Amino acid sequence: MNRFAKSWVSAAVSLAVGVALLFGLPGVLDDYTLIEVTIYAVMSILGVSLAFIWGFGGILCFGQTAFFGLGAYTYAIGVMNTGDSTVPFLLAIVVPALFAALLGYVIFYGRLSDVYMGVITLTVTLILFNLINSTAGPEWRIGSAPLGGFNGIPAIPTLNWPGQQDEVLSPKDLFYVTFACLLLVYLGLRVLIASKVGRVIVAAKENEQRVLLLGYDARVYKLLCFTLGGAIAGLAGCLFANWGAFTSPTIFGLAQSAQIIIWVIVGGLGTLIGPIVGCVLIQWLTSQIGTQQVFNSNLVLGGILVVFVLLVPRGIVPTLGNLIDMAWRMLRPSARTAKPEKSGIAKVEPDAVPALPLATKEQAS
Amino acid sequence: MDLALVVLVQVLYAVASLVIVSAGLAVIFGMMKVINLAHGEFMMLGAYAVIGALELGVNLWIAIFIVAPIAVGLVGVVLERLVIRRLYGRMVDTMLATWGLSLLLVGIVTSLAGNTTAGVSAPLGSFSIGAYSVSGYTLVIIAVAVALALAIRFVLTRTQLGLIARGTMQKPDMANALGISPSRVYSVTFAVGAALSGLAGGLLAPLTGVVPTMGAAFVAKAFITVIGGGPAILAGLLGASTLFGAINQLATFVTTPVLGEVALLVAAIVMLRLLPQGITGRFFKGSL
């Protein structure tokens, strides 16, 4: 199978698995577990947003939580003011996207390198954290929504069916919405990456100079990628606020932004499915650590991050993929002679070579 | 008049504390190009070293100026040997690994010392300027910042060690050919940077509460200062500290401390848009 066919097969498989999970899980799981799965899905959307801008855009954003938190707060403030959730839901995507566009403009048009970029995004997250954290007094309110400072905003009205304020989504409906969002985001990004725009984004990551020489303004594509990542993180934030009907400044915190990076590193940079795997694993691990007193969760997470950077820099999913490929090649002697496929370079399959003159002969006759 | 004097002292203090907080990072990032996201945790370790030493009955000044830097310097050597050394030249990976280290250090200290705030009371009392009172410790911070800047300059320009370090950072293979082991120079430089961070943590321990998570409050400020400073280590450090410290303190004076910090960070981001290479990338080119 060449790379192209492989990508379509994996997309079809993930779509099938996704749809099966979407409709299967609510029937199998009890309500409590379903709510747990919903939060994993919310966090997976967040993980995918970073996986996209970092793994495909080459933009290391240490402050993805800035957009996540902005989404949550935008939704909370919007829904408390308007009552109906449709417009706030959309705003929770648009506002973080605009914020990402503004920040991205400063970064990409200032031509700051990715290292500086990491520090700036980290700083922005801290600014937002400090700002929101200091809004505890009753004088801090937007419309009828008090910001609540370090106490956060409790009792956020959850999503309702568009136009029908009284018809609030049940936990099961929220699972459907969240999981469908995850599927849509995942598949949408796969389509985008396969498209021309996506190819330019990836090319800009690989070699910005060369992309410029080919006549593409790499800054525009990076900005687009970053903005989209911000929008997706905002969507995750909105769903997060819905999941717990609560949001607080810790959503902007360093601990949260560290976690997203760990998901991506553990799952595998440069894939979209890896961060979902990493997210679920790490979230599960964190909740397990929370139930015992021996280890601090920071200790374990920090250790995992160091070990993965040093020993498994490609992450779980690509490493597993390699292992499977290797096993496959050992089992199939005919493929043993084939050289291992280099990433990004299209390879002509040995079977395809003799087919060529055959085809021309047929055309000639 | 009194008020002006007090504001001046406060601004000097803000600048001085930025210099102190960022000095260790300036050495590690400015010289070695290693992004040390565990910088704040090095400071936290310095603060805990002071607290530990005080519990053992060590004099406060000895704890701050000797115990904290040495303790954190040693930690720096160990971490450089175990982790950082494997990642030279891979900036993004170093950044991730040091962030992992920062979480790890927070986790270890939380497990050992608990998540409670420990405190050291500020020594030296206070003195008055007209109707206002100023803490004597403020003047210590200012004095230490001046001494630190002079010491960095002296070591880098006037000593054999500084010459070797600067030469190695510029051309490691050439230094190696001249019989200097770059890996040892890296190790020593990292330890010096870590020791400076430890000193900063020890110095600030009497001013801020000491908790395992205190590092997070400093890391962004320190980075923004060093990055805003640009390629020249000392001139950049002083220039950016002066600019950001003054903005921070004046904004704090007009509004609230939180908005003062926000003003600092926003000013830094705007400045980086205008001067992507930092202050010394454009002005003071070629200085130390």
Side-chain angles (χ1 to χ4, degrees), chain A residues 325-348:
Chain A
D325 265 7
M326 260 167 62
W328 183 246
R329 250 181 274 126
M330 279 158 79
L331 288 173
R332 254 182 55 198
S334 64
R336 201 180 279 164
T337 46
K339 281 185 186 140
E341 197 174 328
K342 287 260 164 51
S343 67
I345 300 168
K347 194 188 66 168
V348 180

Side-chain angles (χ1 to χ4, degrees), chain A residues 54 60 62 105-106 109-110 112 114-116 118-120 122-124 126-127 130-131 134 254 257-258 261-262 265 296 298-299 302-303 305-306 309-310, chain B residues 35 37 83 86-87 90-93 95-97 99-101 103-104 106-108 110-111 216 220 223-224 227 258-259 261-262 265-266 269 272-273 276:
Chain A
W54 185 15
L60 173 51
F62 266 64
Y105 166 76
V106 172
Y109 283 73
L112 297 174
D114 49 354
V115 173
Y116 284 57
V119 174
I120 287 196
L122 187 70
T123 311
V124 167
L126 285 173
I127 295 182
N130 283 341
L131 260 185
S134 69
L254 276 180
S257 40
I261 299 225
I262 296 175
I265 282 283
N296 182 280
N298 276 326
L299 203 159
L305 182 51
V306 173
V309 171
L310 288 177
Chain B
I35 301 264
L37 280 178
V83 178
R86 300 161 202 283
L87 300 169
R90 289 156 61 189
M91 257 184 163
V92 172
D93 286 344
M95 208 166 165
L96 296 169
W99 201 355
L101 286 179
L103 292 174
L104 198 63
V106 170
I108 291 172
T110 312
S111 301
F223 262 106
I224 278 295
I227 286 176
V258 171
L259 289 181
E261 294 228 324
V262 172
L265 298 172
V266 170
I269 289 175
L272 278 180
R273 173 68 186 92

Side-chain angles (χ1 to χ4, degrees), chain B residues 13 20 27 39 55 58 88 109 121-122 164 174 183 227 241 243 249:
Chain B
Y13 164 71
I20 289 174
V27 169
H39 175 70
E55 273 174 12
V58 179
Y88 285 131
V109 175
S121 54
I164 289 175
M174 189 61 82
S183 92
I227 286 176
S241 297
L243 181 67
Q249 200 55 45

Side-chain angles (χ1 to χ4, degrees), chain A residues 45-46 49 64-75 88-97 227-241:
Chain A
I45 298 177
L46 183 59
S49 77
Q64 197 68 3
T65 47
F67 314 120
F68 183 58
L70 266 182
Y73 269 90
T74 307
Y75 173 76
F89 180 82
L90 296 176
L91 275 180
I93 298 170
V94 171
V95 171
T227 308
L228 195 58
I232 297 169
L235 169 70
C238 170
L239 293 168
F240 178 79

